[in-house]
Amino acid sequence: MADRQSWRRPDSLRLRLLWGLSLPLLLLLSLDAYLTYQRSLAGANAAFDRMLHTSARAIANGISSHGGEVRVDIPYFALQMFESNAAGKVFYRVSDARGKALTGYEDLPPPAIKRADAPALQFADADYLGEEVRLVSLRQTVRDMLTLRDQDVWVQVAETPESRQELARGLLLGSLLQEVLLVATLLLIVWLAVSRGLRPLRRLSAEVASRKEGELAPLPTAGLPNELTPLVDALNLHGERLQRLFAARRRFIDDAAHQLKTPLAVMQSQAELALREEAPAEQQRQLRRLLDGMRQAGHMVAQLLQMSRLEPDNGQPIALEKVDAAALAREVALEWAAAAHERGADLGYEGAEAMPVSGNRALLRELLNNLLDNALRYAGDGAVVTVAAIDGPQPCLEVRDSGPGIPEAEREKVLLRFYRLAGERQEGSGLGLAIVREIAGRHGARLSLGRAEEGGLKVGLRFPAA
């Protein structure tokens, strides 16, 4: 049913207009073809009836009477007319007033009216030898040159309708060819007129498509047809609503960042100060647990806020510029060197000296921070962690480690929010790789998880070709 509806209702406005015009035009063309055929057949009948009359008159002119004997001398002109009708069959008969055949086809049907006051010329449709024929009957008065008496002689000529039908079909075909050409020309004119009329809509579509991400400025209405103005006004109104919605969301994110991060930082500072005071061992242990919880909560709040900023529908466009990803990777690795040293990990960099990509420097730094944090956190003490920049047609950033890695069946799941591997004891929120995936998506890069040469996890970020 859906396929049938889609066939009946083309998606293209031009096709809809053409369908809407083509069907009525085809119906009108069919009706006109029928009427044209009837007119052509009537014209052909009139022309061939005149030819039958002329043939009968030519035969009648060759009839004479001498001493009561009627002689029929069919002229060559009449015979030539019979031969010219190659498409159909022609029959003739000459009979006296009593109906006795003098020459021709004796079983040809007699005239419809044979009274003395009957019309001298009669046309009729008759059936002869199982075929429909057109029959002309002409009454001719012949005077005997010896007795000077007059007598009536009937001359009949009949033909089958093939010649008439062929002429009518020829006239119809010529008329149809002309009308089909006119209809095709009309549809072409309609197509061109519709295409020209849709130019403002195409320009409007191109302008909307060329806008940058997050650009919600009102669309101009100058120069647009009146039919498009309500659509543009509705789009502008929708853009204003989105702007207000995005502004409210940004205010909420900023307020949440301030209102949540500041109290957590104060509580963390107070817990650290409490640990420095002399207190029983149990109190020290509880304070350490409290401090760890607050650190974890602060880390989670920061990641949640970062995820909210990275979502494509938050109304905050991401500015991309030319960034040396290799230099940025070395810089971030150097910042994590102290943390790696505390864990006894071997953190190093390898790859290209320079690798320019189109990206956002702050977001790429956040991506590398999350990857290195995960690598050092889950690979374990004494692990080998490598940051690599691989230049090429599609530049690639990699972070590899020698830890336990992630099973292949779990690699798609760990990219989801708050998903953690079963049995994992390390602290974490399950948002690190989800943030990495969002940042990769905002850069149009392809994120992949695999097995590293060091034996652990390899996270690759492959950028689009320049």
Side-chain angles (χ1 to χ4, degrees), residues 366-389:
E366 184 67 22
L367 178 141
L368 290 170
N369 284 332
N370 278 278
L371 291 180
L372 288 175
D373 181 44
N374 282 353
L376 295 175
R377 184 189 301 269
Y378 298 108
D381 296 339
V384 177
V385 179
T386 303
V387 182

Side-chain angles (χ1 to χ4, degrees), residues 18-289:
L18 286 180
W19 273 108
L21 290 173
S22 299
L23 294 180
L25 286 176
L26 289 176
L27 292 176
L28 291 176
L29 186 61
S30 302
L31 178 61
D32 185 71
Y34 173 77
L35 297 177
T36 300
Y37 182 73
Q38 296 300 322
R39 291 195 303 269
S40 301
L41 189 58
N45 286 333
F48 278 88
D49 283 350
R50 286 194 295 269
M51 184 180 294
L52 285 178
H53 183 203
T54 303
S55 300
R57 181 65 63 185
I59 295 175
N61 291 335
I63 300 175
S64 61
S65 177
H66 296 278
E69 180 182 358
V70 179
R71 297 178 181 178
V72 181
D73 183 15
I74 298 178
Y76 175 75
F77 171 72
L79 296 176
Q80 188 178 24
M81 291 181 66
F82 295 158
E83 293 175 356
S84 64
N85 189 11
K89 302 175 184 178
V90 180
F91 312 96
Y92 72 96
R93 179 174 180 262
V94 180
S95 60
D96 57 17
R98 298 185 300 273
K100 179 183 178 181
L102 301 177
T103 184
Y105 295 82
E106 297 182 0
D107 54 351
L108 196 66
I113 304 175
K114 296 181 63 177
R115 300 190 307 269
D117 58 345
L121 180 64
Q122 302 177 29
F123 287 95
D125 294 322
D127 183 76
Y128 179 60
L129 299 179
E131 292 184 285
E132 181 184 356
V133 294
R134 182 69 171 171
L135 177 65
V136 59
S137 301
L138 176 66
R139 187 179 62 190
Q140 177 74 14
T141 301
V142 181
R143 170 166 290 193
D144 194 302
M145 301 303 297
L146 296 178
T147 63
L148 298 179
R149 292 181 178 180
D150 295 334
Q151 62 174 321
D152 290 336
V153 178
W154 286 95
V155 179
Q156 294 177 280
V157 181
E159 69 168 350
T160 55
E162 290 85 358
S163 299
R164 300 164 183 259
Q165 295 173 353
E166 182 179 356
L167 177 59
R169 285 193 294 267
L171 294 175
L172 174 64
L173 180 60
S175 177
L176 282 180
L177 289 177
Q178 179 180 355
E179 292 179 1
V180 168
L181 179 61
L182 291 176
V183 169
T185 305
L186 176 61
L187 292 178
L188 179 61
I189 294 174
V190 170
W191 178 273
L192 295 176
V194 172
S195 299
R196 183 180 180 85
L198 290 178
R199 284 180 183 176
L201 183 59
R202 288 197 297 269
R203 288 197 300 268
L204 178 62
S205 301
E207 182 175 353
V208 173
S210 63
R211 291 199 163 192
K212 298 180 180 179
E213 182 180 0
E215 184 179 355
L216 296 175
L219 294 168
T221 58
L224 290 178
N226 295 332
E227 292 78 6
L228 286 180
T229 304
L231 174 62
V232 176
D233 292 340
L235 288 175
N236 290 337
L237 179 60
H238 182 64
E240 292 177 4
R241 292 172 179 172
L242 287 178
Q243 283 182 327
R244 290 195 295 267
L245 177 63
F246 292 155
R249 183 170 181 177
R250 285 193 296 268
R251 286 195 301 269
F252 170 77
I253 292 174
D254 295 337
D255 293 344
H258 176 73
Q259 298 297 329
L260 289 177
K261 291 171 66 176
T262 302
L264 287 174
V266 172
M267 293 172 63
Q268 181 178 339
S269 300
Q270 291 175 347
E272 291 175 349
L273 290 174
L275 282 175
R276 298 175 184 176
E277 301 294 334
E278 294 183 0
E282 181 62 23
Q283 183 179 357
Q284 289 284 328
R285 187 174 67 84
Q286 293 297 334
L287 285 174
R288 288 191 181 92
R289 292 180 61 183

